[in-house]
Structures are given as structure tokens and as C-alpha cells.
């Protein structure tokens, strides 16, 4: 064995995951900051290897501020710390991964359609905060991020869309050497979040590589990260980049945010995201929850002598008459027109020649079933008789009565009205993929669907059906064609979220006339909770057409707007003052 091989062998042994090597307490000959704690905005990091008194570590962890999520990490003896406060602390079910930076393999591939950079404005901080909130992560707060933009300990990177400047992803790096004179010369990666609706592939990987290369240039020895044990997609990414698991453990507080991690599966956790957002808000206010049918989204909310059964956002406060008005698109159209609201021209299919005459009159139309939901059977932008016949057949498979509707060009806008007040508004866009030059359209759709299902609890994906094939063919492609690198392709024309569409909050930009029209429509239908579908040239302009009303809108799609809060206010108004006084 050569001298170089002997040195490498000794290094490998020193890094082996043994109890001896993972005694994290600093030796007397090592200079290390005592009881190192770093505020990251969303909570504090308590570096367990810097604490010589484990009881003190437990006490400091219990000083967590309301609404935050502290983490004590690098614990070689988590069971000992836990013994000091078993009623308040729990062992975090996350794995710790480490990449030795000398082993990192660079990638020659560069990102397409987005760039990674340091944050440089307060607007970036606001966008970062909204992104964290949308991914159900504790946000640090825009002001905290901005105040720490020049920090040497905390470093923030964002992924920015090259076309519109939207923030698509964010990650934070923590420099241990600068934070507490770490004798091991390490760093860690935290709070990686990627917009679930971003169409560009590789955003998360590019952000991770940015952190790796930054700390490698700083001369750090390793980069660590923590990931929940069942996040298989993230773990595959980290292992691909060379990260390996290490025997380091973390403790957290038993707070409301962490409850799913230490309480185990509860009956309400089987509900879909549209029911869960309401259930979580109800439980936060002390309202009892009884799951009646998790698969269908039925549950009961109970407070005192009041018991209200809901199916997601449809409650017993919505009458059967109001529900039937929304369920039948012909009735909806007629009532809104009588109320003086703008609706597109519409006709019921009675014969093929009559349908072709309607198409000839408008040139581009929408075909949809008179009854149905979640975008089933809807075909948008029909332009020729053959496509018309196929669209009518697809709609008839959902409902016997089929509607023809004038195609109104513009943004697809969903407005949520609760208790006859506008609570949220968002633009919905049809699903789009981005070519890589290596993958077929079918493969890109499948990859996009996997990301959408993971982000929405399985509620959103792009169907590989005749309608998707038609929309691709209209753009000159087949499903098995390889889409050129950097080429975007809209694979469906309908912006329904269940069929892969994306949603973008515009509540603050809404024109007053649109607000008034939405509230008038809810009153015309006499429905306390509804999602109204508008087509508008611009959300900040007065022009519109209302195309549908939904009696069971998905409130989870509009976070961070307070849709669940206003829904519970409607059902249990006696809890509003209690919330205000907290």
C-alpha cells in the first residue's frame, strides 16, 4: 500500500459512522462556539455538538417562539436530551445526509429557461415568503430575509424565470464555520422549496448544486441536509448528487405544526387536501372533527350543540336548490344573464348540423357536458367539424345533454366568494411542458404529472387522453415526438386544476367591477360558498364573461389567501372574536 493509499484509508476510517467518530461534543483542543444557536426566521437551529449540558439543550429547545419551528440537530445522544422533556420533545423522523465536497462531481448541463442568483430586492423576499407558504412550510418573513441578505452565515439563492422574472425556487445555506467556528469546517442546506407549478425541469437540482459549489469555493469540508424519511423523490436526488446518510439525529418540539410527525396517522389525514385545509383550520380553533367518508371528502364539524356536515367546501348551509343551480350549466347561464351579468353565447346540441352551424357562426367554440365537474368532458378551442364531432361524443360520455359555447379569449380567472364577499382570486392556466431535446412529449407529461400529484396530494395530473393528443396535434406534434430543447408546449386548452392546470394568485390586482360581478353572481344563485369562473382580457380591467359556477370550490388552491378561515367564520361565527383576541 502506498503512502497516499494509507492516508486515504485513515481518512475513510475517521469518517466511518461509528459511535466513536460521531461523538459530536467538541474536544478541549478544538475552538468551537459554546451553545451555538442560529435564527433562520422560520425557527432556530440548535447545534447539539456545541452543548456540553444536554439538559440545557432541552431547555433552550423548549424556548421556541409561537409560530416557529426550532430544530436541535447533530445529536449523538438524542435519547438523553429527550429524557429531560419527553412530554414536550420528539425525535424527528428525518434522515441526515452528507456530501464530502472533495467528492462532488460537476455537471456540464446548464439550466434552461431559468437562472439561479442571490436575492437582490425586497420583492424577492416577499415572493420567497409566498412560495414557502404555498408549500406548507413555515415562512421566515420577508423582513427577516431582507435584514439578513448580507449575512455571511445565512445565504439565500433563488431560481428566477428568465421570461417573467417569477421566483420558481429558493434555498438557504448555513455556514457552520462562520456561525460558531466549527472545527469540522462544515455547512448545511435548509428550506429548499420549488414552485410545484414550474414547468422547467431541474430547478431543485440546480439550486442544490449552487449551494454545493458555493461552499466548495469557500473551502468547506462537507454539506449536510435533513430530509423527511419518506420523501423518496428528494432522497433520490440527493443520492444522485453523492450525498450519503450519516448517523446524526434531530429533536423538535411537540407543537401544532409538527403534530403529524409525532402523533402518527389520524383519521382526518386520509382526507384530500381540499378537505384537510378546512379540517386543520377547524381543529386550530378547537372545533371537533368527525370523519364520515374520507374517500369522498365527507366530515362533520362540531362545536357545542352545532354540528355541520361538509363535503370539502360544500356544507349544509348550501341548499339543494342552490347546488342544483350550479350543477346545471344551462340554469347557471340563464340566472346570471337575467341578473344582468355578461355570459357567453350558449346552445344545447340538438343535431350535428345545428352544432356545425354554431361552430360556423363563432369560428372557435367550447364543447362541454351540461352537468359535470373537474373538467371532465370539456373540449376547448374547437375549430373544425371533425374535432366538433369527437368533442360532442366525449361530452356525451359525461352527460347526455351537451352544450356549445362561444369561445371567449382571455385569462381564466377563478374568484372565490364566501358569505357573498370575495375572498380570493387566481388566474388558472392550462398545463404546459418544456422540451429537453431528449424526452418525448409523453414522457414530459408523465414527469410533470408526477410533480403535480406530489404537490397536490394526487389531485392534479395531466391525462394522456384524446383531448391531450388533439391539443398536441393542433401544435404540430404527436405524443411520442421528442420536444426540442427549450420549446414550451401547451398540452391542453382547459385550465382545470384536476387536469394539470396551474393557479396564480391575483387577489390584490382584481378590478372592482369584477369583485362586484362575482358578488352579484353569488347572490343571483343564492349560494354562500362558490367558485366563479370568469374569462377576462386582464384581471385589473373591467371586462369579463362568467362561464361557470362551482358549488364545491377547492379552497386549498388559493393559499395563502384566507379561504379556510372565512369558510369556518361562515359556519361558526362565534369563533371569529375568539380568533381576534388570540
Amino acid at each position: 500500500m502506498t503512502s497516499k493509499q494509507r492516508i486515504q484509508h485513515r481518512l475513510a476510517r475517521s469518517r466511518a459512522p461509528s459511535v466513536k467518530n460521531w461523538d459530536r461534543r467538541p474536544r478541549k483542543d478544538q475552538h468551537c462556539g459554546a451553545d451555538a444557536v442560529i435564527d433562520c426566521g422560520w425557527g432556530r437551529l440548535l447545534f447539539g455538538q456545541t452543548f456540553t449540558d444536554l439538559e440545557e439543550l432541552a431547555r433552550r429547545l423548549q424556548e421556541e417562539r409561537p409560530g416557529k419551528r426550532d430544530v436541535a440537530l447533530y445529536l449523538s445522544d438524542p435519547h438523553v436530551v429527550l429524557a429531560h422533556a419527553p412530554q414536550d420533545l420528539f425525535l424527528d423522523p428525518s434522515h441526515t445526509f452528507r456530501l464530502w465536497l472533495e467528492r462532488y462531481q460537476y455537471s456540464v448541463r446548464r439550466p434552461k429557461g431559468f437562472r439561479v442568483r442571490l436575492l437582490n430586492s425586497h420583492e424577492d423576499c416577499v415572493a420567497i415568503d409566498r412560495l414557502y407558504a404555498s408549500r406548507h412550510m413555515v415562512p421566515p418573513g420577508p423582513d427577516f430575509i431582507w435584514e439578513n441578505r448580507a449575512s455571511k452565515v445565512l445565504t439565500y439563492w433563488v431560481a428566477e424565470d428568465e421570461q417573467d422574472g417569477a421566483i420558481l425556487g429558493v434555498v438557504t445555506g448555513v455556514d457552520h464555520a462562520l456561525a460558531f467556528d466549527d472545527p469540522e469546517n462544515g455547512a448545511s442546506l435548509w428550506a429548499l422549496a420549488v414552485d410545484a407549478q414550474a414547468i422547467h425541469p431541474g430547478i431543485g437540482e440546480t439550486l442544490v448544486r449552487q449551494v454545493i459549489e458555493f461552499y466548495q469555493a469557500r473551502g468547506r469540508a462537507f454539506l449536510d441536509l435533513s430530509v423527511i424519511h419518506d420523501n423518496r423523490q428528494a432522497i433520490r436526488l440527493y443520492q444522485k448528487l453523492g450525498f450519503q446518510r450519516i448517523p446524526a439525529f434531530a429533536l423538535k418540539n411537540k407543537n401544532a405544526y409538527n403534530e403529524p410527525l409525532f402523533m402518527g396517522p389520524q383519521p382526518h389525514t386520509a382526507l384530500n387536501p381540499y378537505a384537510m385545509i378546512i379540517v386543520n383550520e377547524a381543529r386550530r380553533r378547537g372545533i371537533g372533527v368527525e370523519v364520515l367518508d374520507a374517500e369522498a371528502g365527507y366530515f362533520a364539524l362540531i362545536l357545542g350543540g352545532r354540528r355541520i356536515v361538509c363535503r370539502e367546501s360544500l356544507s349544509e348551509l348550501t341548499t339543494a336548490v342552490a347546488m342544483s343551480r350550479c350543477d346545471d350549466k344551462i340554469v347557471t347561464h340563464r340566472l346570471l344573464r337575467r341578473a344582468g351579468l355578461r355570459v357567453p353565447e350558449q346552445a344545447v346540441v340538438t343535431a350535428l348540423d345545428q352544432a356545425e352551424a354554431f361552430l360556423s357562426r363563432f369560428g372557435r367554440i367550447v364543447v362541454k357536458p351540461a352537468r359535470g365537474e373537474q373538467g371532465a368532458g370539456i373540449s376547448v378551442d374547437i375549430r373544425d367539424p371533425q374535432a366538433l364531432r369527437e368533442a360532442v361524443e366525449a361530452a356525451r360520455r359525461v352527460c347526455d345533454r351537451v352544450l356549445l359555447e362561444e369561445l371567449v379569449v382571455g385569462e381564466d380567472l377563478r374568484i372565490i366568494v364566501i358569505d357573498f364577499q370575495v375572498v380570493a382570486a387566481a388566474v388558472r392556466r392550462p398545463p404546459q411542458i418544456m422540451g429537453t431535446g431528449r424526452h418525448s412529449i409523453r414522457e414530459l407529461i408523465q414527469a410533470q404529472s408526477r410533480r403535480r400529484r406530489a404537490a397536490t396530494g394526487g389531485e392534479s395530473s395531466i391525462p394522456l387522453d384524446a383531448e391531450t393528443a388533439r391539443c398536441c396535434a393542433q401544435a404540430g406534434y404527436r405524443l411520442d415526438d421528442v420536444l426540442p430543447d427549450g420549446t414550451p408546449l401547451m398540452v391542453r386548452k382547459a385550465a382545470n386544476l384536476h387536469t394539470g392546470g396551474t393557479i396564480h394568485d391575483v387577489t390584490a390586482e382584481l378590478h372592482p367591477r369584477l369583485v362586484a360581478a362575482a358578488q352579484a353572481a353569488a347572490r343571483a344563485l343564492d349560494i354562500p360558498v362558490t367558485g366563479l369562473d370568469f374569462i377576462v382580457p386582464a384581471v385589473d380591467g373591467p371586462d369579463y364573461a362568467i362561464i361557470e359556477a362551482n358549488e364545491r370550490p377547492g379552497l386549498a388552491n388559493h393559499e395563502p389567501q384566507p379561504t379556510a378561515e372565512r369558510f369556518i367564520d361562515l359556519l361558526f361565527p362565534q369563533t371569529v372574536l375568539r380568533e381576534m383576541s388570540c
Side-chain angles (χ1 to χ4, degrees), residues 480-492:
D480 292 316
D481 289 344
V482 173
L483 193 61
D485 190 18
T487 300
L489 176 64
M490 188 182 295
V491 295
R492 291 179 81 87

Side-chain angles (χ1 to χ4, degrees), residues 329 367-372 376-378 395-396 398-399 401-403:
K329 297 176 177 64
V367 178
K368 57 187 179 184
R371 302 179 69 178
I378 296 178
R396 277 189 176 141
V398 178
C399 177
R401 284 193 303 170
V402 176
L403 302 181

